[in-house]
Amino acid sequence: MPMVNPKSKVSGRPKICYRPILPSDLDTIEHLHGKLFPIRYESLFFQDVVNGHDIVSWGAVDRSRPEGQKDELIGFVTARIVLAKESEIVDILGYDSSKSDQTLIYILTLGVVEAYRNLGIASSLIREVTKYASSIPTCRAVYLHVISYNNPAIFLYKKMSFKCVRRLQGFYFINGQHHDSYLFVYYVNGGRSPCSPLEFLTGIASYMRSGFKLIAARLRRNDERKISRWAKCKESHSLVSSTHNKKNMATECTRYECV
């Protein structure tokens, strides 16, 4: 079967469909990884991909291609299910240690041949992964690494609501050089990260504002009670003074009349 030229142009309107990667895709998937990535993968990896050994995968094909090429891969995504407690992002998951069966999906590779880029194929492949992750009750997130200079991929993941949670210094070693990596996470099934420092400070500020409002309300109530007591005391004093004055006036009147 002739393989698609990664740099050839698409003629006509492609009809893109998605399906699981099969054992018959072995040569194509290995060829595309070699063309698209600077990292070399062992043959065992490709065997695991096509046979589904601890790896889940989806492929994109163009049904509008000539007969014999309609089922040939023009894009793919591979991923692995991992236990949350054994992952490198357990510290940013808000992990519940009482639920030891919590899992994650780690995206291993994602690629689309150049001729089929900017057609939404990569986005659709990622959605296949997030949809699959959401269907697993114990799954809490999908995560992956992106080399720091791969701006199109970084833009894509941000557009698809992945959160960049960490930068890893020298994560990749390619052709004798170290390259940084960004760690992206997409939460599913109620998964969430612990609050960020900014969220923590915002929470503290909100708590303090609530505390100040409560104290101010109590002070107002105390002042109102004091004012009320003072008013009652003043009224009582006025009554006493009034009674005393009336007695004095009566006495004066009596004296006047007696004179």
Side-chain angles (χ1 to χ4, degrees):
M1 178 186 294
M3 295 183 184
V4 63
N5 182 347
K7 295 187 178 182
S8 64
K9 298 295 181 181
V10 177
S11 59
R13 186 173 182 179
K15 183 181 178 182
I16 308 300
C17 298
Y18 302 90
R19 62 166 177 78
I21 292 178
L22 306 170
S24 58
D25 296 314
L26 179 60
D27 291 342
T28 304
I29 197 76
E30 190 167 356
H31 171 75
L32 291 178
H33 275 74
K35 288 288 186 182
L36 298 177
F37 302 127
I39 299 173
R40 294 293 168 258
Y41 294 86
E42 297 180 0
S43 59
L44 180 60
F45 167 74
F46 300 110
Q47 291 288 343
D48 289 342
V49 170
V50 300
N51 292 297
H53 293 163
D54 298 322
I55 292 179
V56 291
S57 59
W58 291 264
V61 297
D62 180 5
R63 300 297 190 196
S64 68
R65 298 183 70 200
E67 201 64 43
Q69 299 178 27
K70 291 184 176 182
D71 204 44
E72 185 180 330
L73 296 178
I74 50 89
F76 57 86
V77 61
T78 66
R80 174 178 282 125
I81 301 175
V82 299
L83 286 174
K85 64 182 179 181
E86 296 176 359
S87 76
E88 63 184 288
I89 65 169
V90 65
D91 61 316
I92 57 173
L93 275 178
Y95 174 70
D96 185 351
S97 59
S98 67
K99 299 178 180 178
S100 60
D101 62 340
Q102 289 185 352
T103 58
L104 307 169
I105 300 290
Y106 177 58
I107 294 181
L108 299 165
T109 60
L110 169 70
V112 177
V113 300
E114 189 174 331
Y116 285 88
R117 289 177 188 169
N118 301 314
L119 297 176
I121 296 173
S123 298
S124 295
L125 288 167
I126 294 170
R127 276 192 287 271
E128 291 291 338
V129 179
T130 56
K131 183 169 64 175
Y132 174 74
S134 298
S135 72
I136 303 173
T138 58
C139 187
R140 292 295 173 264
V142 177
Y143 74 107
L144 55 98
H145 295 93
V146 180
I147 200 164
S148 58
Y149 59 73
N150 191 346
N151 293 322
I154 292 169
F155 175 80
L156 171 66
Y157 290 120
K158 286 183 176 179
K159 184 181 73 172
M160 298 195 70
S161 300
F162 279 72
K163 293 183 178 181
C164 184
V165 296
R166 188 172 291 166
R167 180 169 182 147
L168 303 171
Q169 300 289 331
F171 182 83
Y172 291 105
F173 186 71
I174 303 171
N175 297 327
Q177 288 189 322
H178 288 280
H179 298 275
D180 293 351
S181 163
Y182 291 112
L183 180 62
F184 281 87
V185 180
Y186 180 91
Y187 296 99
V188 297
N189 298 329
R192 61 178 181 80
S193 64
C195 61
S196 66
L198 178 59
E199 291 171 331
F200 177 75
L201 291 175
T202 302
I204 290 294
S206 177
Y207 178 78
M208 291 178 68
R209 281 196 300 271
S210 299
F212 288 143
K213 287 180 181 178
L214 181 62
I215 292 171
R218 287 179 177 175
L219 289 174
R220 273 198 306 273
R221 285 197 295 270
N222 288 339
D223 288 342
E224 288 170 357
R225 291 193 189 106
K226 288 179 181 178
I227 291 171
S228 178
R229 286 198 297 270
W230 179 81
K232 288 179 180 178
C233 289
K234 184 176 181 181
E235 181 180 356
S236 176
H237 178 73
S238 298
L239 288 172
V240 171
S241 298
S242 176
T243 303
H244 179 72
N245 289 337
K246 285 179 180 178
K247 287 180 179 179
N248 287 341
M249 287 176 65
T251 303
E252 291 296 329
C253 286
T254 302
R255 287 174 183 172
Y256 180 79
E257 291 173 352
C258 292
V259 169

